[in-house]
Amino acid sequence: MCDARRVTSEPAGPADPGPVPDLAALAKVVARQRAEMDRLRDQAATSAVVERAKGALMALTGCSPDAAGEELLQRAKAGNRTVLEECWITLGGLVPPLHHTARPSHEEPDPDTAVPGDSPSDRPMSGVPAGGDPAEADRAEADRAEADRAAGADDGSAVLGRLGEALVRVGSPQGLARCLLEHLGPEVGADAVMLFRCLPAGGLELAGHAGIDDTLAVQWRHVPPLSRIAALEALRAREPRWLEDLAADRERYPLIGVPPERWRSRAWLPVPDGDTADVCIGVLRGRGGPFTPSDRQLLRAVARMCAGRLRDFGPRQEYAAGGAVQAVFDALPGAAMLLTPLHAPTGEVEDYRVDAATAQAVDAVGRTGRELVGRRILECFPGMAGEELWQGYLHTLATGEPYEGRSFADQEVVAGTAEFSTYVVRASRLGGGLIVVWLRQDSSDRQEQRLADMQRLGNLGWANWNLVTDEVGWSSQVFAILDRDPAHGPVRLADLPGLALPEDVPPLARAVRELIRAGRPLNVPFRIRAAGGIRHLRAVAEAEPAVDGTPVEVHGFVQDLTAQRSAELALVESEQEILTQHGVLRAERTLATRLQHALLPLPTRPVRLAGLRVEIAYLPAQSGIHVGGDWFSAIELPDGDALFVVGDVAGHGIDAVATMAQLRFTAKGMVITGSSLTGALARLNTLLLHSRDSHGTATMVLARYHPDEHRLVWAQAGHPPPLLLRDGDVRYLGRPAGMLLGATSAPYFEEAEVRLEPGDRLLLYTDGLVERPAEGIDQGLERLAEAVMAHPADGPGPLGLLLASVLEGERRDDVCVVDIRVPTEPG
């Protein structure tokens, strides 16, 4: 068909460029012209709606055009509506009734069913011509006035007015759904709109939607005629269904949405069409709760107004199979379909209709041949949307280039036996549609496809050289690997070394000569320079000899090992970096160990302090290469008292050792100079907080023993409690208040004291003695108490046996223990 709007690119006159136009002025002119065209287009569409409504009244009543126009004006005024709204309501209620029954004047409208302007004026004229029964006309007018008074002010009149204007520009059910969502969203909180239309055979078809995704639309495109569908119930009863209680509604209806809580309240409103209703509007809201009376009135009015617009779209046309095209397809072998694209209002292809199908064509549920004709392709194959096959169809429609999909396996029954066959889908454009064919590949096709897949997956290609005829054959993968244009053709075997980097040419050329002259197999790595950089390749070939042993043909393959080689080089580089880092860490451990031994000398035998026997053990961690920050002090003070300190600095390495030394010497100095235990802890906390070189946090136990009173005063900062063994019983001392050093600027510490008696044994230790991975600290403390009970202090080497029984496996942390024993007799 010729398009009268077609323009030509030929100039209307001589090609004289003239002066350069003002682009800004031209743009303003174009913008004004476009706005004027849009205004005229809307005005023409609005005029068409008005004239159609006037014609409907004229056909029903026999009145003149002027009288029909005046009737529309009076109805609009009585219903507090615009003329355009009245026109849509009139067109939606087009039923040629023989009689009109007016509502009795004493009947009060139901507040739930009353809609804005719900009166007899909303319905078509009763069909009483001029000169008819005046009393009946008076009764109708009285009913209209009474309904208007009952309805009251129309809060949604502005919305209906805007909607009436927008309906002029709606051209499809999909466009109508979007229009409704745009106007109902701000007013009633609508988050989605769905339009369902009754099918002739029962059930529903999704005619339009907005606010829901395509996957959900496909799932609900066709609804069977079940009894528990809210939209179907609304259509059958011709009354809305208000779903306002999610818990109760989900028990009664299958709810749309994944999950259903996405829309917590819904309304399904039938669109009146005379005495029936074929279309149902669904309004879905994300918020819960009931629809207010004003919301219900507005939604009822919207449904009645949409009836006129939906009437223009007409009923769903079932596609009838048959005709010359289907007759041709009936005679074709194999599986094939003729598809016609179906476009959305935006112009995008949203589905395809099956216009013809061969007897061998079958869909996902087993329908074949003519059973498929007239159906949508997404109805036959729901999982196709968005897949590679779908994109291939679109590409063929847009460009005309044939499409061939990847081969796939399908099971079929041959001679009573189930076997798998390989198929490939091909699509070609025919006019504005598509011819889609499913081709079964025979064994040779499958072998060729498998060979191509093997080359692609293995990133290799085969090559063949005939040394007698000088013919050369390469697979397409070889050209890709060697980064060579197929138009230049393959190279002779003797010229193959010329493709390699200069440093790789001699070994490759030598191997090729030995292959050609002596038939010695070739397996040589080499490199080439490609567009993407250096490639690492491998050539493998062998010769087929003649009767006299002379090589006459060579066949082999070329493989791209770039990814593998890159991974190997990266692994070697990583190993070298690890070795270097390991050496640095070992050197750091050696330095830290020497520093630790210099700062923390360990006595080789038990010592006596203030009448107490003291034994010290320090065991470094066995896992890892860092030195920890565990430390101790056991000294006799100038006044004869004894000071015992055990601490643990967070972290490992040189920084931890440095912090340990700082805390150890500072703690001793402050106690020696007269500071209390809690005062020393407070100052050490301040030191950690404000020292740049500090390592963060630390735990500590400070204990001072007064020999003349046999009294031990101690304080702690986030450290495990000391363990006391007395008369065969073991217990942990109750910890006084104390916070982790370096954790806060306002710490709080308390002191506690215990009187030591002859034979007592007291253990101060770090957490490495009681902590184990995946185990609570309480289990470690209980294990230590049991070990102390089993290894009394008076046995040979008691501390060593104790540590051996408590520590198992590889130590992950340093262990420091100060074992204090009170002699049974004064020494």
Side-chain angles (χ1 to χ4, degrees), residues 86-102:
E86 191 63 46
C87 291
W88 285 123
I89 294 175
T90 300
L91 292 173
L94 279 180
V95 180
L98 297 176
H99 303 284
H100 175 72
T101 303

Side-chain angles (χ1 to χ4, degrees), residues 334-531:
M337 290 182 183
L338 174 62
L339 305 181
T340 295
L342 303 178
H343 297 274
T346 59
E348 300 177 352
V349 175
E350 64 177 3
D351 209 338
Y352 296 86
R353 186 184 63 233
V354 181
D355 285 351
T358 61
Q360 290 77 22
V362 59
D363 70 354
V365 297
R367 292 175 293 222
T368 60
R370 287 177 175 259
E371 296 177 338
L372 303 173
V373 176
R375 299 186 181 275
R376 306 293 180 91
I377 198 69
L378 291 180
E379 177 186 354
C380 300
F381 306 98
M384 183 186 295
E387 297 295 329
E388 179 182 351
L389 192 62
W390 184 272
Q391 301 301 327
Y393 287 0
L394 294 178
H395 181 75
T396 298
L397 276 177
T399 64
E401 300 177 2
Y403 166 76
E404 179 171 328
R406 295 183 181 180
S407 58
F408 63 94
D410 191 20
Q411 188 179 37
E412 61 181 358
V413 178
V414 180
T417 304
E419 63 179 32
F420 281 94
S421 300
T422 305
Y423 292 85
V424 64
V425 179
R426 293 178 182 173
S428 303
R429 191 170 68 183
L430 178 63
L434 291 175
I435 293 287
V436 179
V437 182
W438 285 261
L439 296 177
R440 179 181 177 182
Q441 297 178 316
D442 58 24
S443 59
S444 60
D445 293 333
R446 290 197 295 270
Q447 290 177 1
E448 183 177 349
Q449 183 63 41
R450 289 168 183 166
L451 178 61
D453 291 341
M454 181 187 68
Q455 294 184 81
R456 176 178 53 82
L457 296 174
N459 207 4
L460 55 84
W462 60 264
N464 189 77
W465 291 274
N466 191 311
L467 303 181
V468 178
T469 63
D470 214 21
E471 294 178 346
V472 183
W474 281 3
S475 69
S476 58
Q477 194 72 14
V478 174
F479 287 98
I481 292 173
L482 293 175
D483 196 25
R484 183 175 176 84
D485 189 349
H488 298 158
V491 300
R492 298 169 60 248
L493 181 59
D495 298 333
L496 183 63
L499 302 178
L501 294 181
E503 52 268 34
D504 294 342
V505 170
L508 181 58
R510 182 167 56 253
V512 169
R513 287 195 302 269
E514 294 178 353
L515 173 65
I516 295 175
R517 295 174 183 175
R520 185 172 299 172
L522 178 148
N523 190 342
V524 180
F526 65 99
R527 294 167 297 169
I528 65 170
R529 190 178 303 279

